[in-house]
Amino acid sequence: MRPHPAPAPHGPPASPPPVYRTYHDPDGPATLSTTVVHALADCMGVDVTDGRISLYDAVDPDALDALFRPRHDGSPRTGGHLVVFVHDHRVTVYGDGEIVIEPPAPAARR
């Protein structure tokens, strides 16, 4: 008796979720933490006003705002970055205002 071959997996292999990128305008009306919350809401496909997105479990929003605020002489802080995880999303904030959000892998989603 011959063994049966293993069945082929159904469908194409899962591809990694797309990376979400945006920039914070330090001269605009929103704080950096507000820009991050709005970016997360966009990335997750939820309404920012429904209260599901909060940074408090990952980082103090006031500390985040202060970390990349211009120096006392007014010059921008362009170096450095901060990585936090919010709702399993890896959020990287760079000193130049770039915000990169990496959603969780499909297996990790709930």
Side-chain angles (χ1 to χ4, degrees):
M1 182 172 230
R2 299 167 110 177
H4 294 288
H10 297 286
S15 61
V19 173
Y20 183 95
R21 294 178 188 274
T22 192
Y23 283 87
H24 171 69
D25 178 4
D27 297 323
T31 63
L32 175 58
S33 58
T34 299
T35 303
V36 170
V37 168
H38 281 262
L40 273 165
D42 286 347
C43 183
M44 295 172 64
V46 299
D47 185 342
V48 73
T49 62
D50 76 2
R52 286 194 272 175
I53 308 291
S54 173
L55 298 180
Y56 284 103
D57 289 335
V59 65
D60 181 323
D62 292 332
L64 175 62
D65 295 337
L67 184 62
F68 295 113
R69 187 172 290 140
R71 293 181 175 94
H72 292 290
D73 66 0
S75 62
R77 296 184 192 268
T78 57
H81 69 278
L82 174 73
V83 177
V84 295
F85 287 85
V86 180
H87 296 285
D88 295 327
H89 289 66
R90 179 187 168 116
V91 179
T92 305
V93 180
Y94 292 92
D96 66 357
E98 183 179 20
I99 300 166
V100 178
I101 301 174
E102 299 173 54
R109 291 186 181 163
R110 293 184 180 104

